């Protein structure tokens, strides 16, 4: 696998009056070229923070340590000014509430022109390509002269996808983009995203969602986060067939599937809740909810390489 | 415990906010002046206590008027009157605005249409003209009447703003839950909706407070103020009437105008400052 | 127990209320005692409006909703209170279901004040604690807390416990698990299923078909305000008959089977016939043609109804 995104020991905290919230606490991983990496975890596990930190550190998000390399070049995520060179051109994002991300007072054409000018280009020089892509996502040319509110939710979603991939970024961060959609729209959006990738509009996708069954459809590997830490990462098929970490295992077995009825087979959730990230517990952060807990778990679990490209952070395998 | 710490957090941000600090300092200075001032002077604001045309000196801190009245005494009593108008007039306007806004927004339908029609009619009638007419018809005008008139005419924009806020709060699910819990409208408005708008209501009151003071100054200035007593507006009216500026009596002409400008300015400072305190997005970290 | 008869809700929209939007269009179905019915549809299908009409938060434009044979639209003060004593709802967003200024205990206090003023504080407290335990909450951990101190799952369970404390007979559960994490989602579902075993009827509103399949006895598939398919859950899931239901089934993300991806990005051919009487699904349907005019709801087998002109052809 040719590594094209490498994140080393990244720590991103939120500064609050009561101290630091350790949202991303020492996460390292690699992502291959032309890969779709799925990031899963419960809400508040730091997956969105991880994705957002790769493009823009908005206060109170604070860079603590760690390095990021994209296509062999270091990405200075701690330097807002230097990041301008990467933002949008090489790393782009479809934010969580993308539908509301468009400025309502500007026509889409003007909006795109502003954005392109911000990054040293303009609408004119991209017109042909924009029209081609609009056609691909089944949007008429006339939307360019409309205001964002004139578009339906689905149209806005497609528009945002076109806008955020216009500069053919190397890395696209998709933050919970399908979570609010119903199943048929969800499928259509994902199909479109994969089509964009196969046409080379984006090289790799960092796909954040809490829904593992969606990741099964789109991701080549899955990274599971829990309370700011990476707990397991492996290829999609492997992680779904034989999850190693107790958390991953419980998360997957809690998913309802067609064909399973309450009366026939009762599924179980994970008891308890994630720990507060302001003062996370010592050692393994999952220990309070883990059925396999033992005394060793009070120490920081090591990251174990089970096989090539399958890592897990648990004392069970150390 | 959490609620207290949230409140503490708000207080922390409030005291850290520059606009708030400037606003509160100026405002407090004038409040203290209005409270303590009358005890510092031995005079009555309308008494002729000294020589006329006297510039500030140790005896008369802000000089005297053409007729020998003490300007400082007039100013501190005038401040009292202004704060009274602000509190009562602003208070009445806020309360009427809240009641109309809450009911129009929450009940909707016909009640909303009728209340909003009334509000819009009030909104297009020029307030000052209305004030002049009402004031002109009253044979005796005290500061109390003046405050009530101002309060009764200043509420419409508050009603509209509160209605809009209520409409958006109404769609929150806890209001639905309150309805299926059998709570009646008044209780829902009082216990579920209003408390969530406290910060907003507070800001509305500050604006109404300042607005009422300004309206009173305007009325007084054109001679429709209290028939007895003193106020900042009357001081300004007198100063203009007796050519204080042309005669170089800056000590008579400037203090009342400056005081009003500073008070109203400090209120606006507090208002924008509060906006930043209550809205975490505007906070500077 | 709860019967919807030709319920229609029309909203006036546009600047001058000139346009009319049929959010719910002539919907009839019923929910029996001790039954869970899933109401499945995408956003804008009118499913939440139906839930709110049952809770009388919205009035239908026409049609009736009958509870134990009585029209709920006719209820006056005391009857309405009596209705709410038996029929309650839990909403989608657990965080917005609580007034952020009050402790969560307030939802129980209000219920006692409004519905059971005769029950003493201590007895009420015991009842709350008992029910909290039955929904898997530790009373010490949740009572006396503010909403933001608890998780979405805990808040949602508190609301269910509230319905239990009131001993309601019917519960409208509107997307109550869509905002919850997978790890707690299933526990809340299990809880609903257990309640059903104790005789409670539930209208389970969702856009997630696998969740609907997991717990419901009957399923209603709603599309733009109309019922497209209705009947026994097993029958609908095992032999879906309406093209819309079929496309929904194919779009469910599953972890045992991957989607068949369409190669072209362009999806759904726009069809040009603009006839108000055409089938609502016509413009997205792979089977649709000019003959799809006002399809009736046909019983294709026992307890299985489908609204499609192409049935049997």
């Amino acid at each position: 696998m040719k590594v094209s995104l490498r994140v080393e020991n990244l720590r991103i905290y939120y500064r609050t009056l009561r101290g630091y919230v350790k949202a991303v606490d020492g996460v390292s991983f690699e992502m291959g070229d032309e890969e779709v990496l799925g990031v899963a975890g419960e809400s508040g596990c730091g997956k969105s923070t991880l994705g957002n930190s790769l493009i823009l550190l908005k206060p109170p998000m604070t860079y603590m340590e760690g390095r990021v390399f994209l296509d062999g070049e270091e990405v200075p995520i701690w330097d807002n000014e230097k990041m301008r060179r990467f933002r949008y051109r090489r790393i782009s994002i479809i934010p969580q509430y993308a539908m509301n991300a468009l400025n309502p007072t500007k026509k889409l054409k003007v909006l795109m022109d502003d954005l392109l000018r911000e990054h040293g280009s303009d609408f004119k020089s991209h017109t042909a390509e924009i029209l081609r892509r609009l056609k691909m996502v089944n949007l008429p040319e006339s939307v360019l002269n409309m205001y964002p509110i004139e578009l339906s939710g689905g149209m806005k979603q497609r528009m945002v996808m076109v806008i955020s991939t216009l500069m053919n970024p190397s890395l696209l961060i998709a933050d919970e983009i399908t979570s609010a959609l119903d199943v048929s729209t969800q499928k259509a959006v994902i199909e479109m995203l994969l089509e964009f990738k196969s046409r080379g509009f984006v090289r790799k996708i960092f796909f954040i969602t809490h829904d593992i069954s969606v990741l099964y459809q789109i991701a080549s590997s899955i990274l599971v986060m829990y309370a700011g830490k990476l707990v397991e990462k492996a290829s999609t098929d492997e992680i779904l067939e034989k999850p190693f970490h107790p958390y991953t295992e419980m998360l997957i077995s809690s998913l309802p599937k067609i064909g399973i009825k309450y009366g026939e087979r009762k599924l179980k959730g994970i008891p308890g809740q994630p720990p507060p990230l302001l003062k996370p517990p010592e050692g393994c952060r999952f220990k309070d909810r883990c059925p396999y807990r033992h005394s060793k778990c009070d120490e920081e679990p090591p990251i174990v390489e089970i096989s090539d490209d399958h890592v897990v952070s648990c004392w069970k395998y150390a | 415990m959490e609620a207290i710490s949230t409140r503490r957090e708000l207080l922390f941000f409030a005291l850290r906010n520059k606009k708030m600090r400037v606003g509160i300092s100026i405002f407090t200075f004038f409040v203290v002046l209005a409270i303590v001032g009358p005890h510092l002077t031995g005079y009555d604001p309308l008494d002729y206590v000294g020589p006329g045309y006297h510039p500030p000196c140790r005896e008369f801190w802000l000089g005297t008027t053409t007729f020998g009245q003490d300007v400082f005494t007039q100013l501190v009593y005038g401040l009292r009157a202004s704060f009274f108008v602000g509190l009562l007039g602003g208070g009445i306007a806020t309360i009427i605005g809240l009641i109309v806004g809450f009911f129009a927004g929450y009940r909707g339908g016909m009640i909303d249409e009728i209340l909003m029609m009334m509000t819009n009619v009030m909104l297009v009638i020029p307030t000052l003209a209305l004030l002049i007419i009402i004031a002109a018809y009253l044979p005796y005008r005290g500061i109390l009447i003046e405050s009530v008139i101002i309060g009764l005419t200043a509420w419409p924009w508050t009603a509209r703003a509160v209605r809009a806020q209520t409409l958006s709060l109404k769609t929150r699910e806890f209001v639905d839950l309150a309805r299926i819990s059998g709570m009646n409208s008044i209780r829902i408005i009082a216990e579920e909706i209003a408390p969530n708008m406290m910060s907003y209501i507070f800001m509305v009151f500050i604006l109404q407070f300042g607005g009422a003071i300004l309206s009173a100054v305007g009325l007084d200035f054109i001679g429709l103020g209290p028939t007895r007593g003193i106020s900042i507006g009357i001081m300004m009216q007198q100063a203009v009437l007796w050519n204080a500026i042309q005669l170089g009596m800056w000590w008579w002409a400037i203090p009342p105008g400056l005081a009003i400008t500073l008070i109203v300015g400090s209120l606006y400072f507090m208002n924008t400052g509060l906006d930043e305190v209550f809205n975490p997005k505007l906070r500077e970290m | 127990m709860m019967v919807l008869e030709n319920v229609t809700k029309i909203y006036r929209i546009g600047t001058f209320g000139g346009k009319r939007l049929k959010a719910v269009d002539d919907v009839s179905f019923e929910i029996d005692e001790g039954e869970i019915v899933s109401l499945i549809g995408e956003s804008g299908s009118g499913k939440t409006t139906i839930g709110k009409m049952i809770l009388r938060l919205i009035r239908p434009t026409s049609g009736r909703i009958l509870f134990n044979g009585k029209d709920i639209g006719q209820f006056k003060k005391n009857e309405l209170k009596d209705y709410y004593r038996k029929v309650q709802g839990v909403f989608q967003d657990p965080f917005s279901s609580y007034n952020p200024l009050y402790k969560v205990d307030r939802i129980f206090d209000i219920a006692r004040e409004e519905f059971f003023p005769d029950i003493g504080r201590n007895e009420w407290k015991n009842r709350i604690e008992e029910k909290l335990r039955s929904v898997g909450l530790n009373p010490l951990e949740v009572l006396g807390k503010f909403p933001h101190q608890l998780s979405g799952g805990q808040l949602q369970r508190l609301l269910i416990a509230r319905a239990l404390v009131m001993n309601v007979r019917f519960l409208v559960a509107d997307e109550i698990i869509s905002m919850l994490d997978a790890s707690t989602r299933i526990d809340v579902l299990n809880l609903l299923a257990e309640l059903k075993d104790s005789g409670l009827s539930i209208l389970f509103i969702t856009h997630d078909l696998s969740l609907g399949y997991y717990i419901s006895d009957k399923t209603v598939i709603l599309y733009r305000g109309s019922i497209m398919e209705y009947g026994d859950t097993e029958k609908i899931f095992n032999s879906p008959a309406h093209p819309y239901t079929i496309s929904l089934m194919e779009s469910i993300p599953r972890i045992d089977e991957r989607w068949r991806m369409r190669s072209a990005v362009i999806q759904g051919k726009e069809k040009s016939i603009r006839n108000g009487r055409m089938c609502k699904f016509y413009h997205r349907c792979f089977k649709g043609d000019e003959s799809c005019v006002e399809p009736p709801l046909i019983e294709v087998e026992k307890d299985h109804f489908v609204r499609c002109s192409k049935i049997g052809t």
Side-chain angles (χ1 to χ4, degrees):
Chain A
M1 184 183 78
K2 190 177 153 238
V3 174
S4 74
L5 176 77
R6 195 160 83 237
V7 172
E8 288 174 2
N9 198 27
L10 188 64
R11 266 175 231 279
I12 305 289
Y13 291 177
Y14 284 92
R15 207 153 59 132
T16 70
L17 289 178
R18 269 162 276 172
Y20 285 112
V21 173
K22 302 175 180 67
V24 174
D25 205 8
V27 171
S28 307
F29 66 91
E30 287 172 352
M31 196 172 160
D33 209 16
E34 302 201 22
E35 194 183 6
V36 178
L37 176 66
V39 185
E42 282 167 275
S43 46
C45 70
K47 55 188 191 305
S48 277
T49 310
L50 177 60
N52 280 298
S53 70
L54 297 179
I55 183 162
L56 176 64
L57 282 178
K58 257 186 263 160
M61 268 165 85
T62 315
Y63 170 86
M64 304 305 284
E65 66 170 317
R67 300 176 79 178
V68 177
F69 298 90
L70 177 71
D71 304 318
E73 191 182 348
E74 175 141 32
V75 185
I77 63 164
W78 56 86
D79 189 328
N80 236 331
E81 269 306 306
K82 283 191 192 146
M83 275 302 283
R84 291 174 67 91
R85 205 160 56 79
F86 287 86
R87 231 174 265 146
Y88 190 48
R89 283 179 162 274
R90 297 184 54 191
I91 304 176
S92 192
I93 188 169
I94 306 179
Q96 190 163 3
Y97 301 103
M99 323 255 235
N100 309 326
L102 302 171
N103 181 346
T105 60
K106 283 185 175 163
K107 283 186 180 170
L108 286 163
K109 199 171 160 178
V110 182
L111 215 138
M112 287 167 96
D113 192 49
D114 287 355
L115 185 66
L116 287 167
R117 276 174 196 280
E118 182 84 2
H119 295 274
S121 180
D122 60 11
F123 185 82
K124 263 210 183 107
S125 45
H126 284 80
T127 312
E129 185 59 25
I130 290 170
L131 293 181
R132 204 164 72 83
R133 293 190 183 184
L134 283 181
K135 206 168 170 195
M136 269 184 61
V137 299
N138 204 15
L139 285 173
E141 208 181 309
S142 56
V143 293
L144 290 173
N145 284 316
M146 291 195 204
Y147 290 94
I149 51 159
E150 296 179 75
L151 273 59
S152 72
M155 286 165 89
K156 259 189 243 172
Q157 180 76 269
R158 279 178 273 166
M159 197 68 215
V160 171
M161 280 173 62
V162 170
I163 295 176
S164 48
T165 55
L166 204 56
M167 300 289 245
N168 294 350
S170 167
L171 174 68
L172 178 71
I173 298 155
D175 188 3
E176 298 268 15
I177 57 169
T178 63
S179 308
L181 305 175
D182 30 68
V183 285
S184 38
T185 327
Q186 172 172 275
K187 188 180 173 204
V189 165
I190 285 173
E191 277 172 349
M192 223 171 275
L193 205 57
L194 289 179
E195 178 76 18
F196 272 31
K197 187 171 155 291
S198 71
R199 296 201 183 204
F201 299 168
V202 292
R203 289 192 70 79
K204 48 196 165 294
I205 302 171
F206 192 79
F207 196 94
I208 303 166
T209 179
H210 62 269
D211 196 341
I212 291 186
S213 44
V214 169
L215 290 184
Y216 181 72
Q217 310 297 328
I218 179 175
S220 40
S221 27
I222 293 179
L223 187 163
V224 181
M225 279 187 78
Y226 183 78
K229 297 257 187 199
L230 180 151
V231 296
E232 188 163 6
K233 180 179 176 289
S235 74
T236 303
D237 287 322
E238 190 162 323
I239 211 166
L240 277 161
E241 261 166 49
K242 37 178 200 268
F244 275 84
H245 199 282
Y247 176 64
T248 322
E249 189 189 327
M250 291 168 88
L251 202 58
I252 291 168
S253 68
S254 72
L255 294 174
K257 304 166 191 69
I258 292 288
I260 296 184
K261 268 189 101 68
Y262 171 77
E264 294 151 12
R265 197 178 123 201
K266 199 170 154 185
L267 296 170
K268 278 210 316 249
I270 308 176
Q273 280 155 71
L277 293 178
L278 197 58
K279 282 192 205 82
E282 293 281 310
C284 172
R285 294 192 176 172
F286 187 61
K287 63 183 179 186
D288 291 335
R289 299 167 80 182
C290 185
Y292 309 106
R293 176 182 183 166
H294 56 94
S295 58
K296 204 77 173 145
C297 300
D298 290 329
E299 292 166 41
E300 180 81 32
I303 292 188
V304 190
E305 199 154 324
I306 300 286
S307 63
D308 195 28
D309 197 35
H310 189 161
V311 291
V312 59
S313 164
C314 179
W315 279 109
K316 245 173 105 186
Y317 308 100
Chain B
M1 187 207 97
E2 275 290 326
I4 295 168
S5 71
T6 339
R7 243 170 266 161
R8 264 198 208 137
E9 206 166 277
L10 277 184
L11 198 65
F12 174 87
F13 280 109
L15 295 179
R16 230 185 58 157
N17 188 295
K18 262 190 210 134
K19 289 183 191 136
M20 274 305 280
R21 281 201 294 214
V22 172
I24 290 177
S25 311
I26 298 175
F27 190 73
T28 316
F29 169 77
F30 281 104
V31 170
V32 170
L33 194 62
I35 295 170
V36 180
H39 299 288
L40 295 180
T41 131
Y43 312 123
D44 193 86
L46 296 176
D47 277 356
Y48 309 107
V49 292
Y53 294 109
H54 204 288
C57 63
R58 276 175 76 179
E59 178 67 9
F60 308 107
W61 295 351
L62 287 174
T64 61
T65 69
T66 316
F67 315 103
Q69 292 153 315
D70 183 37
V71 175
F72 177 77
T73 310
Q74 289 201 334
L75 186 73
V76 291
Y77 278 96
L79 279 175
R80 278 193 169 186
S82 281
F83 283 124
F84 180 82
V85 174
L87 218 52
L88 188 64
I92 291 175
T94 309
I95 288 169
I96 297 178
L98 286 177
I99 293 173
V100 172
F102 279 141
F103 275 90
Y106 181 74
R107 296 300 290 271
M110 273 308 277
I111 295 179
D112 184 24
E113 304 244 343
I114 294 169
L115 286 176
M116 276 304 108
M117 200 172 72
M118 275 168 49
T119 308
N120 290 337
V121 168
M122 287 295 290
L123 212 52
V124 290
I125 295 176
T127 316
L128 194 64
L130 191 70
L131 283 174
I132 293 171
I133 295 168
I134 299 173
Y137 270 99
L138 292 170
Y140 163 78
R141 297 185 301 272
I143 184 167
L144 186 73
I145 304 275
E146 185 178 36
S147 310
V148 172
I149 296 173
I150 290 172
L152 289 178
T153 49
W155 57 268
W157 68 263
T158 302
R160 289 193 65 110
V162 169
R163 173 178 173 268
Q165 290 270 319
T166 308
L167 281 178
S168 91
L169 270 175
K170 196 176 121 183
T171 61
R172 298 276 290 276
E173 283 162 346
F174 63 79
V175 176
D176 279 343
L177 194 77
R179 284 173 69 191
I180 63 173
S181 296
M183 283 168 78
N184 63 34
S185 311
I186 293 177
R187 200 168 166 203
I188 292 178
I189 290 172
E191 294 183 18
E192 305 288 337
I193 294 179
N196 275 293
M197 285 168 57
M198 261 351 251
S199 58
Y200 189 76
I201 294 171
F202 187 53
M203 280 161 55
V204 162
F205 176 67
I206 287 182
L207 285 180
Q208 286 284 14
F209 187 94
I213 291 179
L214 273 184
S215 299
V217 168
L219 274 183
D220 299 352
F221 188 73
I222 54 174
L224 292 168
T227 37
R228 281 182 54 79
I230 188 73
S231 77
I232 302 276
I234 292 176
M235 283 177 77
M236 287 164 76
Q237 183 208 11
Q238 296 285 329
V240 171
L241 213 56
W242 301 101
N243 299 325
I245 297 170
Q246 288 87 334
L247 297 173
M249 297 169 74
W250 54 268
W251 60 87
W252 191 11
I254 293 176
L258 189 66
I260 281 299
T261 312
L262 284 174
I263 290 172
V264 175
S266 74
L267 289 172
Y268 283 95
F269 259 108
M270 274 155 76
N271 194 51
T272 45
L274 275 178
D275 213 7
E276 286 166 22
V277 172
F278 288 130
N279 187 346
K281 275 188 207 147
L282 299 175
R283 274 181 203 161
E284 299 155 24
M285 249 329 249
Chain C
M1 180 180 209
M2 188 71 77
V3 180
L4 279 80
E5 275 182 8
N6 310 97
V7 174
T8 299
K9 176 71 194 178
I10 297 170
Y11 285 110
R12 290 176 175 281
I13 51 168
T15 327
F16 298 103
K19 278 191 204 157
R20 306 172 104 219
L21 176 81
K22 251 188 194 174
V24 177
D25 188 1
D26 196 21
V27 164
S28 307
F29 67 93
E30 54 180 271
I31 301 142
D32 287 334
E33 207 129 328
E35 197 175 56
I36 299 187
V37 174
S38 299
L39 186 56
I40 294 173
E42 49 190 42
S43 57
S45 61
K47 55 188 195 301
T48 294
T49 310
I50 291 179
K52 287 196 168 177
M53 285 193 288
I54 291 176
L55 290 172
R56 236 190 79 160
L57 292 168
I58 299 177
R59 299 293 193 111
T61 312
S62 66
R64 297 194 303 168
I65 297 171
L66 304 173
F67 179 66
N68 291 335
K70 285 191 204 123
D71 183 356
I72 67 162
Q74 304 294 328
F75 287 165
K76 293 282 174 300
K77 257 196 160 172
N78 286 332
E79 291 163 304
L80 186 63
K81 204 153 210 181
D82 202 48
Y83 179 66
Y84 282 144
R85 195 169 297 162
K86 293 174 190 142
V87 178
Q88 279 293 321
V90 178
F91 306 113
Q92 177 173 12
D93 181 354
F95 295 97
S96 132
S97 294
Y98 291 82
N99 194 329
L101 304 173
Y102 300 110
K103 290 179 178 170
V104 294
D105 311 38
R106 181 175 156 89
I107 60 164
F108 297 108
D109 297 343
I110 298 280
R112 189 181 75 92
E113 284 167 35
E114 294 288 342
F115 298 115
F116 305 96
D118 302 336
I119 297 180
R121 271 176 198 284
N122 277 331
E123 196 193 332
W124 189 249
K125 195 164 179 255
N126 292 338
R127 231 160 111 174
I128 294 169
E129 288 182 355
E130 181 203 325
K131 297 301 179 192
L132 284 178
R133 280 192 202 96
S134 80
V135 299
L137 289 173
N138 178 352
L140 294 173
E141 274 176 19
V142 292
L143 291 180
K145 292 273 171 68
F146 282 93
H148 68 267
Q149 293 172 290
L150 300 176
S151 71
Q154 286 175 315
L155 293 174
Q156 222 52 320
R157 276 185 240 196
L158 271 164
L159 285 169
I160 296 171
R162 167 180 169 276
L164 289 181
V165 172
M166 288 173 63
N167 197 17
V168 301
R169 308 311 312 147
F170 189 97
L171 191 69
V172 175
D174 186 0
E175 297 261 21
I176 62 168
I177 42 180
S178 66
M179 310 256 296
L180 303 184
D181 278 305
S183 54
T184 39
R185 207 174 242 204
I186 205 73
D187 291 324
V188 174
L189 269 189
N190 286 337
L191 182 60
L192 287 188
E194 281 161 30
L195 295 180
K196 174 211 144 163
D197 293 342
S198 65
L200 184 71
S201 309
I202 299 169
L203 177 68
F204 184 71
I205 301 174
T206 183
H207 67 263
D208 192 326
L209 289 90
S210 39
L211 301 177
Y213 182 81
Y214 182 66
I215 60 164
S216 63
D217 304 298
K218 276 198 278 183
T219 296
V220 177
I221 307 274
L222 207 62
Y223 183 74
R224 287 175 54 194
S226 291
I227 293 181
M228 290 296 164
E229 194 157 355
Y230 165 44
D232 184 80
T233 298
E234 294 275 350
K235 286 176 183 161
I236 289 184
F237 278 80
N238 293 329
S239 49
H242 196 284
Y244 178 57
T245 318
I246 295 170
S247 81
L248 280 182
M249 300 289 285
E250 280 173 355
S251 309
I252 302 174
R254 310 167 70 136
I255 50 171
D256 45 6
E257 198 183 311
R258 287 211 163 91
W259 284 330
R260 267 172 295 152
M261 300 278 185
R262 279 165 288 182
S263 56
V265 170
I266 299 164
Q267 32 115 38
K269 41 193 185 302
E270 284 297 325
K271 293 176 185 173
S272 56
I273 299 179
R274 296 204 179 274
N275 180 344
R277 294 165 60 228
M278 292 304 286
C279 170
K280 289 185 174 165
F281 191 61
Y282 168 74
H283 68 288
R284 274 169 66 181
C285 186
F286 56 87
K287 277 184 178 173
D289 59 35
E290 286 80 2
S291 67
C292 294
V293 178
E294 293 194 335
L297 202 60
I298 306 165
E299 184 160 20
V300 288
E301 59 183 313
K302 193 176 176 298
D303 296 330
H304 187 179
F305 298 83
V306 181
R307 186 188 300 280
C308 179
S309 311
K310 297 291 165 202
I311 290 297
T313 57

